[in-house]
Amino acid sequence: DAKTTQPPSMDCAEGRAANLPCNHSTISGNEYVYWYRQIHSQGPQYIIHGLKNNETNEMASLIITEDRKSSTLILPHATLRDTAVYYCINSQYGNKLVFGAGTILRVKS
Amino acid sequence: GAGVSQSPRYKVAKRGQDVALRCDPISGHVSLFWYQQALGQGPEFLTYFQNEAQLDKSGLPSDRFFAERPEGSVSTLKIQRTQQEDSAVYLCASSFPFDSPRDTGELFFGEGSRLTVL
């Protein structure tokens, strides 16, 4: 599975959009981009995934560049409850997920 | 509830003791994964089951670690002769098979079992 690169931490003001970047320059053609988050003392929680098109659900939007070498997760209106570690993962559909260190997002009032 | 259930939530063991951690996946989920998460790090893959078949155990760190899922539902992760480096949160996750019409691409995680080895 391709390795991803994320900033170690980010801050965001409550109510503003949180834009979390991820680089995956070695992603394979059949690998998806998955985003999960992990709130303190809980198991990881699925957010969204996509192959090449942009995706949106009730939690977030996923923007994937045309060359698929990077993506951005957007939380449109961050709340304090969105403070968590966010993981960007590349994996073939249905395969095991290989987690990196992720980005610690701190939402501040 | 309808989520992945793990027990015990917390386990303290003396070095050298054997421990068993249980995972009850969501009903109907064929795929089951175990992960190990050390403090301050991301989860690391241990092993994968599809029904009762253990298809991938490449992440098990030593032969002291053993996982089973005899009836294709509940799974148990057993650690023999525990060592201090085994202290971690052990996460279980489950999903529908990827070719199932019920599959949404989501892996559902439990809250984990925190093992502390003294």
Side-chain angles (χ1 to χ4, degrees):
Chain A
D1 294 327
K3 179 176 173 58
T4 63
T5 303
Q6 299 178 253
S9 65
M10 292 181 63
D11 290 340
C12 177
E14 188 178 20
R16 305 297 294 268
N19 297 285
L20 291 93
C22 179
N23 288 323
H24 32 79
S25 59
T26 60
I27 189 170
S28 301
N30 61 353
E31 287 183 324
Y32 285 72
V33 180
Y34 290 87
W35 283 85
Y36 280 74
R37 74 180 182 183
Q38 189 171 24
I39 295 169
H40 184 61
S41 296
Q42 297 183 20
Q45 176 192 24
Y46 167 85
I47 302 173
I48 199 166
H49 75 281
L51 185 62
K52 50 185 176 181
N53 297 325
N54 297 336
E55 302 287 344
T56 295
N57 63 20
E58 65 279 3
M59 288 183 68
S61 294
L62 172 60
I63 308 299
I64 303 174
T65 58
E66 192 169 343
D67 63 7
R68 300 205 331 121
K69 293 186 177 182
S70 66
S71 60
T72 301
L73 178 74
I74 301 172
L75 307 179
H77 305 288
T79 71
L80 297 178
R81 289 175 294 181
D82 292 322
T83 293
V85 180
Y86 286 77
Y87 298 100
C88 170
I89 301 163
N90 295 159
S91 181
Q92 293 182 32
Y93 198 85
N95 272 19
K96 65 190 179 190
L97 302 177
V98 179
F99 290 80
T103 296
I104 299 172
L105 175 69
R106 299 185 190 90
V107 180
K108 300 183 176 181
S109 59
Chain B
V4 176
S5 178
Q6 293 188 245
S7 60
R9 287 294 316 279
Y10 303 92
K11 175 69 178 177
V12 178
K14 292 183 179 179
R15 189 163 59 93
Q17 282 185 331
D18 297 349
V19 299
L21 308 176
R22 176 187 170 104
C23 173
D24 282 86
I26 293 172
S27 178
H29 280 193
V30 165
S31 301
L32 186 145
F33 299 79
W34 281 100
Y35 285 81
Q36 178 192 57
Q37 186 170 26
L39 189 64
Q41 298 182 23
E44 291 198 7
F45 170 80
L46 293 177
T47 188
Y48 162 62
F49 290 86
Q50 185 166 337
N51 294 305
E52 70 279 2
Q54 189 174 17
L55 300 184
D56 186 346
K57 52 183 180 179
S58 61
L60 296 176
S62 76
D63 57 7
R64 296 186 296 104
F65 286 71
F66 173 76
E68 60 182 7
R69 194 185 185 197
E71 298 179 357
S73 178
V74 171
S75 177
T76 303
L77 176 67
K78 298 179 179 178
I79 309 173
Q80 297 177 323
R81 305 181 303 280
T82 53
Q83 303 294 316
Q84 285 189 321
E85 62 262 28
D86 300 335
S87 295
V89 175
Y90 291 85
L91 295 160
C92 177
S94 68
S95 71
F96 291 107
F98 70 91
D99 56 354
S100 162
R102 300 177 69 181
D103 178 43
T104 59
E106 179 176 355
L107 196 57
F108 295 81
F109 283 83
E111 294 197 323
S113 292
R114 179 178 296 277
L115 172 65
T116 302
V117 181
L118 303 177

